[in-house]
Amino acid sequence: MGKEKGSYSDGNGPVVSANGSSNTLDIDEGEEDRGQWGSKWEFILSCIGLSVGLGNVWRFPYLAYDNGGAAFVIAYLILQFLIGKPMYFMELVMGQFSGKGPTAVWNMNPSAKGIGVSMMLISLVVAIYYNVIMAYTLFYFFSSMQETLPWTQCKPEWYALGCVEQTTKNIPYCSYNMTENFMLYTNQSKPCRCYENSTFHQSSYFAQYDFNCTNTTWKGDKPVAVAQLFFDKDVIEKTDTLAADEMGPPLWRLALCLLLSWIIVVCCLIKGVKSSGKVVYFTATFPYVILLILLVRGATLDGAIDGVIYFIVPEWSRLLDLKVWVAAAGQMFFSLSVSFGGIIMFGSYNKFKNNVYGDAMLIAVMDVVTSLIAGFVIFTTFGGMAKKIGVDVQDVAKSGYGLAFVAYPEALSQLPVSQLWSVLFFFMLFTLGLDSEFALLETFLTCIQDEFPSTRKYKSYMCVGMGIICFFLALPCVTPAGDYVVTIMDHFGADFSVLFVAACECIAVMWVYGARRFVRDVEYMLGYPPKPTYYWLFCWVICAPILIALLFIYRMVQYKPLEISDGVPYPQYAQTIGWILTCFVMCPIPITFIYKIITAKGSIMERLRSIMQPNDSWGPNDGSDKYALSPQQREGKYGVDNPGHI
């Protein structure tokens, strides 16, 4: 490429798009090509696969039910409108405009490079434990091929724990006080549970007091569904505590499922987006086929409408509850994968002229639609199950793991040909997780290859190597105490840490790089500014950074230690490890900023000014010399004479 003929300032500092100190747009011909998507559909399906994951199936439905039904959905849609969609579009633009991943894209604002490093580390942490959850789905997938589903029959040793073969409403023990010819009952109007070997309820003397004592079939203080015991005792063999001496060795069956999951991920990513882009044609579309089949099947069940009512009937007063908004915000970040780096990474493999504006809108809509479909799938089935066994929907609804690996498998076991439905459901869960895992691991690999371009020629070896390393790092997650390890990694490595990264990202782009300059970049790339422009500027400059910062502060103020059970917190050593993990993923942001300040030259203000301006490597990924020219010199690129007119 030839020399750039000039540069100009738009009020946010000089704009340059050159490599080298003399404003040249050079490309090292010795570098391996980064690669691009084979087609636009590969990009769209990959983004949908990233945003539509396991959380849409097991997290969104329960959060909606638990936080006011439609009131939660309304809060979720509002936050999508004010934060989710603007940030998603912003990250896609950052990646597509620069052709760089989450770390190299910060040539736009070198002081914020630590944000990209934090994104890379968060993606790595999530990739490690996310594949453990996918290993659970493989375990259930293979278990579903047995003549009798193993989560439908109690083992002899489970009866003492209160095992029942279907969810049963808990009945408290009868309590009474007897004095001379006088009896006080705490459960006169409701059935209560007899103590063992009790026969007094048959007596006509007690019958006159309407004393309704019911014998139960389970032992222990409360009934425990066999599906719950199968998951706790057979699948993860969960320990009662997190004592260091109770960790135990990896469980060989789960370890094999984990190994198989990593082999599949590595094989699909062996050539980067060139290979994963082909796989998503199946993995991103197949779940919708199964969801629609399960939706039709669930809608035909007797009692399905009861589940739908629990899911969508709004409690309008809950909109005034701050906890509902915090839950909606958490689900939005978890679902869209904003600030994980994957969106920037996917955008960086786009062609420069791709209409990323329409893509961002489509993907955000698909995320909401999928969450709602999954909610109807789950709760129509729960409604039918509750009607069949004679309990309320709230008695069968669970959250998180409990929904995916306990409640829904039990519901499927009530259907004819239950093995078929179980195989389809868990295969769907695996394919849902596979797309997200692609993005998480590829984000890490892209960051390394962007920082060290010479490693691109070893892309396949790096993918295999990282797969092996992540497998061994995940082995503690498949020990008897592995469930606690996964919870620590999720809570401390990818929960409120993402809020901190997101707030820093918005500020670094819109307040430091400049919203006006960013809009000008969008117009240069697409040929028109994002419309309505004032909506985007309002969300980018005011709503997103301020609301995300307030959410982060709220989470810190309201922080409660993780609990093994009610009132039993995680041991101090485990919480310490968790906070170390938090520092590990968040500290690159301040450390990088301080390092840039120290190594810069001049006074404090001069140093700040120099590290916050785009460096010589920043510019559009179109190979054009026109970006660094003044608007009048560009000769109306894409019919736009003045991209900075806003």
Side-chain angles (χ1 to χ4, degrees), residues 495-506:
D495 188 356
F496 48 80
S497 302
V498 175
L499 291 176
F500 177 74
V501 172
C504 293
E505 181 185 15
C506 278

Side-chain angles (χ1 to χ4, degrees), residues 155-206:
K155 291 185 176 181
E157 62 268 25
W158 293 351
Y159 284 110
L161 302 174
C163 184
V164 290
E165 294 189 354
Q166 62 183 18
T167 296
T168 305
K169 183 179 292 187
N170 187 28
I171 302 176
Y173 281 109
C174 299
S175 59
Y176 62 93
N177 285 323
M178 183 181 292
T179 57
E180 293 183 12
N181 299 322
F182 186 74
M183 189 173 290
L184 298 175
Y185 311 102
T186 58
N187 292 287
Q188 288 186 33
S189 61
K190 297 181 179 180
C192 58
R193 182 182 176 188
C194 302
Y195 285 88
E196 292 186 18
N197 301 321
S198 296
T199 58
F200 62 84
H201 64 289
Q202 305 289 344
S203 168
S204 60
Y205 175 82
F206 290 101

Side-chain angles (χ1 to χ4, degrees), residues 481-499:
D483 183 57
Y484 303 117
V485 178
V486 170
T487 302
I488 289 173
M489 295 179 70
D490 176 60
H491 183 76
F492 289 100
D495 188 356
F496 48 80
S497 302
V498 175
L499 291 176

Side-chain angles (χ1 to χ4, degrees), residues 44 73 114 116 136 213 287 289 320 352 356 362 439 503 514 543 559 570 621:
I44 292 177
V73 177
Y136 295 166
C213 175
V289 176
L320 301 177
F352 186 77
V356 71
L362 172 63
C543 276
Y559 174 78
Y570 274 45
N621 189 39

Side-chain angles (χ1 to χ4, degrees), residues 568-583:
V568 182
Y570 274 45
Q572 190 59 49
Y573 86 88
Q575 295 191 50
T576 301
I577 293 174
W579 284 112
I580 291 174
L581 181 61
T582 299
C583 293

Side-chain angles (χ1 to χ4, degrees), residues 259 262 266 461-474:
L259 177 61
W262 273 113
V266 169
Y461 298 105
M462 290 179 63
C463 183
V464 173
M466 280 307 303
I468 295 173
I469 292 172
C470 289
F471 168 74
F472 283 105
L473 289 176

